[in-house]
Structure formats: structure tokens, C-alpha cells
Amino acid sequence: MSEHGWQEFLGAEGLEDWVVLHGGAAAAFNARSLLEAARLAEAMAEVLAAEPDTVMTIMSGRLTVRLTRDVWHLEARHVELAR
């Protein structure tokens, strides 16, 4: 994968919550409680179930999501998943 994948991700509209780091696209979402963060993780897991490199971390009041484990693995399909 060239720089095109992560540049396309960064340039896409509607992804204001996401950043691209060396480990790929990542976002942190605030929640009012651990339970709310877990429910958000469940909803995201339904969308991202087929993505083998997705990492989600649930903390009290926050959910973090990383779509890939490497910036070079970002592809156009990740833009739609992040929306």
C-alpha cells in the first residue's frame, strides 16, 4: 500500500473524530460510563466484525478504536467503516 490509502482517509469528509497515526486510523470516543462505552464498543463491533486488525479498548468513560495495526494498511474501504 502506498501513501494513497492514509492520505485518502485523512482527506475524507465526516471523519473528524479520527486521526491517522503510525499504527493506522484511530479515534477516541467519550462515554458517560463504562457501560455506555461497552455498548458503543458492541455497536462498533457489529460494523467492524470482519476487520481482523481492529483494536478496541474500553475504559471507564472512553472507547478507543484503531482500524489497522499499520498506517500502510489503510485502504479506501476504511473510510466507509469509520463513518
Side-chain angles (χ1 to χ4, degrees):
M1 168 62 58
S2 68
E3 292 182 25
H4 180 73
W6 63 266
Q7 288 177 345
E8 183 177 344
F9 192 92
L10 282 175
E13 292 185 30
L15 301 182
E16 292 79 17
D17 294 329
W18 294 85
V19 296
V20 175
L21 307 170
H22 71 279
F29 302 97
N30 290 324
R32 289 183 288 241
S33 66
L34 182 64
L35 183 58
E36 185 178 288
R39 288 181 177 145
L40 179 57
E42 181 180 27
M44 293 194 89
E46 289 181 23
V47 174
L48 301 172
E51 296 300 312
D53 291 330
T54 299
V55 176
M56 288 194 277
T57 304
I58 302 171
M59 298 172 280
S60 183
R62 180 172 295 137
L63 169 68
T64 59
V65 180
R66 188 172 63 184
L67 293 181
T68 63
R69 299 188 58 117
D70 190 332
V71 68
W72 303 110
H73 294 160
L74 278 173
E75 299 174 6
R77 66 189 171 81
H78 290 112
V79 170
E80 292 307 315
L81 290 172
R83 288 189 176 141

